[in-house]
Amino acid sequence: MNAAAPVVTLDGPSGAGKGTVSRAVAQKLGWHYLDSGAIYRALAVDLMHRGLESRNEPAVVDAAGRMDLEFVFNPGFSVMLSGKDISSSIQSEACGNQASRLAAMPGVRKALLEKQRGFRKPPGLVADGRDMGTVVFPDARFKFFLTASPQIRAERRVKQLKEKGMNVNLDKIITELLERDQRDENREAAPLRQADGAIFIDSSEMTIDQVVERVTHAVRGH
Ligand code: C5P
């Protein structure tokens, strides 16, 4: 870890566009990118592969600490678990929901903390998640809280999943999204909240390009 490398954090609820925006900002700045949600999602896949019971908290925490996870940029973004590409299996809503249950376990969050901080390298890092600005990188130079109305977030998620060939239902997605928001906002460990000093962006009426522009503008200072 290099404490001097600058960090930009983007936190917010599911489907706010954080991933797309963060990747674009990282690319524009030439900085590294951390998709922290992918780590929790990979843990869900890891438990499933190894037939581990997700309610067995000590076993889950142990698995979180041992996970052999790598992000590969080629130039797309691939998530490798023990050398196997799990990028498509982590995209389902079921995996996101399971990740959110595991992410509520304090021991799991603790086991994954240093793994996340290890992504901080020169020339800088763009990190997206729920607690990037509050817990993982509290000293980040630029913090953003990105949100949008539940309807818009669900519509975007449906579009994204349909483009990937998945069969999805809008009402079900809204219900699951609200459940996930509830769990992420109300858990004891690192709940989703706007970090002190974070810039609030409601992207309901904005295009992805406008949000990317707003963030890069704030970071570059012009
Ligand atoms: O962002 P994404 O939808 O991939 O995250 C999946 C789940 O992982 C979230 O619903 C949240 O519960 C959890 N998560 C978290 N902290 C982060 C990133 C994700 O708790 N920094």
Side-chain angles (χ1 to χ4, degrees), residues 82-99:
S82 305
K84 193 165 170 273
D85 191 342
I86 57 159
S87 313
S88 34
S89 29
I90 62 167
Q91 277 164 4
S92 71
E93 287 305 285
C95 185
N97 292 332
Q98 179 65 350

Side-chain angles (χ1 to χ4, degrees), residues 59-203:
V60 176
V61 172
D62 185 59
R66 289 166 188 269
M67 212 174 16
D68 170 14
L69 188 66
E70 220 191 326
F71 290 162
V72 179
F73 297 87
N74 53 357
F77 173 64
S78 303
V79 180
M80 313 292 291
L81 179 66
S82 305
K84 193 165 170 273
D85 191 342
I86 57 159
S87 313
S88 34
S89 29
I90 62 167
Q91 277 164 4
S92 71
E93 287 305 285
C95 185
N97 292 332
Q98 179 65 350
S100 150
R101 283 184 209 104
L102 302 172
M105 298 177 179
V108 167
R109 306 199 72 85
K110 197 162 163 241
L112 295 175
L113 196 57
E114 287 311 314
K115 206 184 272 287
Q116 295 173 84
R117 289 185 174 153
F119 280 79
R120 184 178 198 168
K121 291 184 187 130
L125 174 70
V126 180
D128 99 61
R130 305 293 185 291
D131 61 342
M132 297 294 97
T134 51
V135 176
V136 182
F137 303 108
D139 63 335
R141 202 177 286 179
F142 303 97
K143 300 182 184 182
F144 296 88
F145 191 84
L146 183 60
T147 191
S149 71
Q151 178 75 25
I152 298 274
R153 290 191 280 128
E155 283 171 8
R156 286 180 187 161
R157 184 51 65 95
V158 165
K159 185 166 174 270
Q160 201 177 40
L161 294 172
K162 278 193 173 157
E163 278 166 5
K164 290 185 176 128
M166 296 183 200
N167 190 15
V168 281
N169 168 288
L170 181 63
D171 289 341
K172 186 162 180 272
I173 295 277
I174 295 187
T175 309
E176 288 179 353
L177 200 112
L178 293 174
E179 258 173 41
R180 193 124 71 91
D181 285 358
Q182 273 281 337
R183 199 182 302 121
D184 291 350
E185 285 164 11
N186 297 311
R187 68 186 175 212
E188 292 277 317
L192 169 65
R193 64 170 183 81
Q194 186 173 342
D196 290 341
I199 298 173
F200 178 86
I201 302 178
D202 182 338
S203 73

